[in-house]
Amino acid sequence: SIQTEIIQNISPIDNYDKYLKLMIEQSREITIDQVLELPVNPMPLDYVVKYSNIDDYTQKSKHLSLMDDHKDGLPRQSYRGIVLVRWKNNR
């Protein structure tokens, strides 16, 4: 299951970094507008929406009703600048 896979990769930190890197590499890059148009998906798919700076992130996060506050130039809820989100059963 996805939960088991995530738990196995949480510790140590190197495992999680490798897991996250692989997940991003295997994800399809789309725009925030494409995210908003995604249907509810019974089989979760992984997507990447890139942001260029904190202002760009803030603008995109508002479309998904995410927290848009930041600290030290990164989204507060991010890990190394990466924010994982579930949207209509997609990640």
Side-chain angles (χ1 to χ4, degrees):
S1 80
I2 291 177
Q3 288 177 329
T4 303
E5 183 180 342
I6 291 172
I7 290 170
Q8 290 172 346
N9 289 302
I10 288 177
S11 183
I13 196 166
D14 289 343
N15 287 350
Y16 185 71
D17 287 354
K18 289 175 190 172
Y19 166 77
L20 193 57
K21 182 179 185 283
L22 182 63
M23 183 181 61
I24 291 169
E25 288 172 348
Q26 294 176 346
S27 299
R28 180 176 156 217
E29 186 175 342
I30 62 176
T31 66
I32 192 68
D33 292 330
Q34 290 171 310
V35 170
L36 298 173
E37 294 173 4
L38 287 172
V40 174
N41 196 336
M43 297 282 299
L45 298 173
D46 294 335
Y47 296 99
V48 171
V49 176
K50 293 184 177 178
Y51 62 93
S52 57
N53 56 46
I54 199 64
D55 293 331
D56 186 34
Y57 171 79
T58 300
Q59 179 206 11
K60 290 174 179 174
S61 67
K62 289 180 190 238
H63 291 287
L64 302 176
S65 300
L66 300 176
M67 292 186 333
D68 61 2
D69 58 324
H70 48 86
K71 181 177 181 180
D72 298 328
L74 294 173
R76 186 171 294 276
Q77 71 280 15
S78 72
Y79 174 76
R80 298 186 184 227
I82 299 166
V83 180
L84 294 178
V85 177
R86 285 260 178 228
W87 184 260
K88 297 182 181 177
N89 206 33
N90 296 289
R91 177 171 54 181

